[in-house]
Amino acid sequence: EPRESWAALAAGGVAGVCVDLILFPLDTVKTRLQSPQGFRKAGGFRGIYAGVPSTAIGSFPNAAAFFITYENVKSMLHHGSTSYLTPATHMVAASLGEVVACLIRVPSEVVKQRAQVSPSSSTVRILSHTLYHEGIQGLYRGYKSTVLREV
């Protein structure tokens, strides 16, 4: 069973990094289109990979946390359950996986989105500015709504 956990962790992490990096430019365009300052002032098509460091750093642990939680909860709930409960087992495991993954995803997303609409600022500068002015709560802005959306 430990071998399966490591496989889930590695597979989930690698898959998450690949998806996030491939789709990053589309996410940047979406974020800039939604920006109150307007698409052009938010950077337009310039610096389309602004904020990618926070995504790259957070992507592997985010996806790995989801899959490791999912697999462990699923195995705990599956013992003794009947086949008609299998969908509920998967739903509960996936929901708890998302709750855990969002603990990593949300701070990464906050920094990424702020970098996307302010491409001249570095990821480190945005992170330190957020922590200084808003504290840890600033990094978890939108946690509840993100968990609700993901679950």
Side-chain angles (χ1 to χ4, degrees):
E1 191 156 319
R3 182 180 227 162
E4 290 176 18
S5 292
W6 283 106
L9 183 123
V14 170
V17 170
C18 290
V19 168
D20 286 346
L21 293 179
I22 290 168
L23 297 178
F24 192 86
L26 292 173
D27 188 54
T28 301
V29 169
K30 177 191 73 118
T31 299
R32 290 178 180 175
L33 285 168
Q34 293 172 340
S35 172
Q37 59 194 8
F39 180 73
R40 288 194 190 274
K41 286 186 181 177
F45 289 106
R46 182 177 42 86
I48 205 79
Y49 279 95
V52 81
S54 68
T55 297
I57 291 168
S59 186
F60 188 93
N62 166 48
F66 171 81
F67 281 105
I68 203 78
T69 303
Y70 173 78
E71 290 297 330
N72 284 323
V73 170
K74 188 176 72 171
S75 70
M76 286 177 6
L77 295 177
H78 188 65
H79 293 300
S81 67
T82 58
S83 62
Y84 73 90
L85 289 177
T86 301
T89 299
H90 288 284
M91 288 188 314
V92 169
S95 295
L96 290 175
E98 287 296 346
V99 169
V100 171
C102 283
L103 291 171
I104 299 166
R105 182 181 309 131
V106 171
S108 174
E109 286 285 313
V110 166
V111 173
K112 177 196 75 166
Q113 289 171 350
R114 291 178 183 189
Q116 287 173 324
V117 296
S118 181
S120 59
S121 294
S122 72
T123 299
V124 173
R125 176 180 276 155
I126 291 168
L127 175 63
S128 62
H129 183 269
T130 302
L131 286 171
Y132 181 77
H133 291 285
E134 301 174 53
I136 197 78
Q137 302 93 322
L139 291 177
Y140 283 94
R141 188 169 307 273
Y143 176 79
K144 292 176 188 172
S145 61
T146 302
V147 167
L148 286 172
R149 179 191 73 196
E150 296 299 324
V151 168

